[in-house]
Amino acid sequence: MLASALPLCLSSAGLWAQPFLSAAEKFAWLTVSVLLFYTAQTTLRIPHAALAAELGRTPEERTRLFGARLAGDIAGMLLALVALRAMETHATDAGWIGLVLGIVGSALVVAGTLAIAEPSRPQPTTRQHSRQRSREKSHNAFAAVFRIAEARIILATLFTQEIAWASLLVLIPYASDHLLETPGETATYLACVIAPMLLTIPLWTRAARRHGKKPTWAACNAISGVTFCLLYLAGPGDQLYVMGVATMLGALQAGSRTLAPAVQADLVAADSHRTGQRREGSYFAVMNLVEKSAAGAAVGLTGMALGVIGIQPGVLQAPEVAQALRVLISVLPAGLIAISAAILLGTGRSKTPLRASVPNVRQPGGLLANE
């Protein structure tokens, strides 16, 4: 986590700086900055999530920890929205604003990391566990995640829901400019998505404690699918309507983003109990890979779709283009996130959780069935 601080600072400034370079040189500059930023972000987020899973000793503790982790993420997003607004109004100062964000973010990473006491790892309880721990290599731990049926279910659910959410974030600027005819209001709509996430995290942790994490997560995604469909009715002059729908989507997204890693952390704990291996890093590395792959797929597919419908920046769009954009921002993510809910609900009550880990070890009940 400490190793990510300096690259985060440098790449944050590089992303927004506008040096006097040729077009090809600027492309190279931006490419390096993006790669450095996301590498540094991954260097931070994987051990950060793994540490949260290690610190939580019970399912309820893990839910609260990942809720608190999401709250920190959202607080940072809100600060970024303030910076985005400043960049929109003072574009020539974007590099300096990015540098300030990088310095503040890196300082918080260093301070937070130094303030955390990493828990000591318990010793193996059996000779078999001791041999397994000494033999396992990092690539084996990574592959072991995919061999576990419950892990594959979680990852498939996560992949489809993340494509839906990422496509919404990609399309908001286009919808603001060409569907709602409110150019320059991207930060406003994003704030309507992000702010309610912070306020509703405690509600989702209580719901998960009362109804179970899996049913709550599935219900959250199912309701999100219906809510996405409401965006189909949006058009010019419907700014307040869209802000209201965005607020509902933000509240629902808080549930998905709190419960997905919390369920993953429960699976890590069950795996550790059965095998004696500590695979927090591997589990959350795979989760990060799935999230990044979904985001990349959303950007690529959305970009292709925008090209197919013939959207033209800076001009009034034809009615059929606006209609296609309306479908892209509503029906498409609604279908994807409904599929994610179906995947999660279709798991049933597993009799043999983590069955690929240690075939000779039996444990009653299924993790996804009750948590």
Side-chain angles (χ1 to χ4, degrees), residues 63-113:
T63 304
R64 290 197 300 270
L65 277 167
F66 280 98
R69 184 172 180 268
L70 178 62
D73 278 350
I74 297 169
M77 292 179 193
L78 292 174
L79 177 61
L81 286 179
V82 174
L84 176 60
R85 174 66 75 178
M87 289 175 179
E88 287 181 331
T89 55
H90 302 89
T92 56
D93 295 326
W96 292 108
I97 296 171
L99 177 60
V100 171
L101 283 180
I103 292 173
V104 171
S106 297
L108 290 172
V109 168
V110 172
T113 303

Side-chain angles (χ1 to χ4, degrees), residues 142 145-146 155 264 281-291:
F142 199 83
V145 176
F146 289 100
L155 295 174
Q264 178 93 315
S282 297
Y283 271 90
F284 286 99
V286 172
M287 194 175 203
N288 184 78
L289 175 63
V290 168
E291 289 176 338

Side-chain angles (χ1 to χ4, degrees), residues 95-370:
W96 292 108
I97 296 171
L99 177 60
V100 171
L101 283 180
I103 292 173
V104 171
S106 297
L108 290 172
V109 168
V110 172
T113 303
L114 296 178
I116 296 173
E118 190 164 357
S120 59
R121 293 180 179 272
Q123 295 300 313
T125 55
T126 68
R127 184 176 299 176
Q128 179 188 20
H129 284 176
S130 180
R131 288 197 303 268
Q132 288 170 339
R133 177 175 296 180
S134 63
R135 283 199 307 264
E136 188 168 51
K137 304 296 184 182
S138 58
H139 64 276
N140 292 334
F142 199 83
V145 176
F146 289 100
R147 291 198 297 268
I148 297 170
E150 286 84 355
R152 294 196 298 269
I153 292 165
I154 293 172
L155 295 174
T157 303
L158 185 66
F159 183 77
T160 50
Q161 80 171 34
E162 286 303 308
I163 292 181
W165 291 117
S167 66
L168 174 66
L169 295 178
V170 171
L171 288 168
I172 281 178
Y174 295 94
S176 176
D177 289 354
H178 306 301
L179 184 60
L180 303 173
E181 298 180 4
T182 54
E185 292 297 326
T186 301
T188 301
Y189 298 121
L190 286 174
C192 290
V193 174
I194 294 171
M197 291 175 66
L198 187 62
L199 299 175
T200 54
I201 290 172
L203 300 179
W204 292 112
T205 57
R206 292 193 190 99
R209 185 169 63 247
R210 181 171 182 178
H211 303 291
K213 294 177 191 177
K214 174 193 165 183
T216 304
W217 183 11
C220 177
N221 283 5
I223 298 170
S224 296
V226 175
T227 307
F228 268 114
C229 292
L230 298 177
L231 291 174
Y232 184 82
L233 304 176
D238 292 333
Q239 184 176 8
L240 291 178
Y241 172 78
V242 172
M243 290 170 65
V245 175
T247 300
M248 295 169 59
L249 286 173
L252 292 163
Q253 190 180 25
S256 297
R257 294 198 179 278
T258 297
L259 297 175
V263 171
Q264 178 93 315
D266 288 343
L267 189 59
V268 171
D271 187 18
S272 177
H273 176 75
R274 289 173 58 113
T275 67
Q277 302 288 351
R278 301 305 300 262
R279 294 170 173 155
E280 291 91 346
S282 297
Y283 271 90
F284 286 99
V286 172
M287 194 175 203
N288 184 78
L289 175 63
V290 168
E291 289 176 338
K292 290 290 193 297
S293 300
V299 171
L301 293 174
T302 302
M304 292 173 59
L306 290 172
V308 169
I309 68 175
I311 196 165
Q312 298 292 328
V315 300
L316 183 65
Q317 306 300 315
E320 58 271 18
V321 174
Q323 177 67 13
L325 182 58
R326 186 177 288 109
V327 172
L328 286 179
I329 203 171
S330 60
V331 178
L332 178 63
L336 286 168
I337 206 161
I339 290 172
S340 73
I343 293 172
L344 199 57
L345 286 173
T347 59
R349 299 186 65 86
S350 173
K351 298 291 185 182
T352 55
L354 306 172
R355 54 183 170 271
S357 298
V358 182
N360 295 327
V361 178
R362 301 183 64 185
Q363 180 179 341
L367 179 66
L368 290 181
N370 51 29

